[in-house]
Amino acid sequence: MASDYESLELLALRQCGFVTALQASELGFGLALMDEMAESGAWTCECRGLFRLERVRHTALDEFAKWCTWFAGSATVSHYSAADLHGLGHLQPRFIHLSVAHPLAAPTRQVALHRLPLADDECEQIGPIRITTPLRTVHDLASGGISQVLLNEVVADAVAIGRLDAHELYLSCENASVDVAVRVELALAASL
């Protein structure tokens, strides 16, 4: 099988320049050719099994795209990282928070994995990144260890910039646990 450079570059463009070794292999790149591309500087090895094509320009989404690609599209940016990407609050997360449906090991200490399945309507696409919606993000944060003050800020920002409708957020608490519903309702009250 001949190496398909054009298809590989198109795939890398959709993934902010990143490709997995498996994806490259499926396009006809053997291990020797992958090593050659890395040694020539055309590709950089980001971590085991993940390369970045240097010809693709860097973006603000690179770090998120890197790990979403590494997880072969099965990871969704969530929790603190989703709030940050949506411009909600000033959380400044120390980790990249990703949700995955199946138990997996985090490839690095930079990644915080949350094991939970997500429905399609709880996610949206930002370029190559799958991310939880603002509504799901608020519920995820409310169920975690975020302080009430920071949750209030996230909710206030989401309502103020029109990413969340206050009434819709209130109604979404009907299906939430009591703890989450109380925290979200307190955040809504603080934002009014």
Side-chain angles (χ1 to χ4, degrees), residues 97-163:
H97 291 261
L98 299 172
S99 288
V100 293
H102 305 290
L104 298 167
T108 174
R109 292 182 185 192
Q110 297 170 308
V111 173
L113 286 182
H114 304 272
R115 288 166 181 86
L116 61 125
L118 296 167
D120 286 341
D121 65 348
E122 295 176 307
C123 303
E124 55 190 48
Q125 204 71 28
I126 297 178
I129 309 300
R130 182 176 146 109
I131 181 172
T132 54
T133 62
L135 180 64
R136 178 61 198 230
T137 300
V138 166
H139 280 267
D140 288 342
L141 291 172
S143 69
I146 192 172
S147 74
Q148 189 64 45
V149 170
L150 289 176
L151 183 62
N152 295 354
E153 183 181 323
V154 167
V155 169
D157 285 354
V159 171
I161 64 174
R163 291 304 317 263

Side-chain angles (χ1 to χ4, degrees), residues 58-95:
H58 291 271
T59 73
L61 297 176
D62 279 3
E63 206 54 28
F64 300 101
K66 172 182 175 176
W67 296 113
C68 287
T69 302
W70 191 87
F71 281 105
S74 67
T76 303
V77 177
S78 63
H79 295 75
Y80 291 82
S81 297
D84 191 43
L85 284 178
H86 285 302
L88 309 178
H90 296 90
L91 304 182
Q92 301 172 345
R94 292 182 14 215
F95 305 101

Side-chain angles (χ1 to χ4, degrees), residues 2-75:
S3 302
D4 188 348
Y5 288 97
E6 186 176 325
S7 293
L8 185 79
E9 283 194 2
L10 289 173
L11 177 63
L13 284 170
R14 289 193 306 269
Q15 299 175 158
C16 286
F18 296 98
V19 294
T20 65
L22 178 61
Q23 290 171 328
S25 175
E26 289 171 349
L27 292 171
F29 289 80
L31 291 176
L33 185 52
M34 288 184 225
D35 288 342
E36 182 182 315
M37 298 303 286
E39 287 173 15
S40 74
W43 298 5
T44 55
C45 184
E46 294 290 319
C47 65
R48 185 174 180 204
L50 185 71
F51 297 97
R52 186 173 199 298
L53 279 64
E54 284 305 307
R55 290 179 40 164
V56 179
R57 71 178 178 82
H58 291 271
T59 73
L61 297 176
D62 279 3
E63 206 54 28
F64 300 101
K66 172 182 175 176
W67 296 113
C68 287
T69 302
W70 191 87
F71 281 105
S74 67

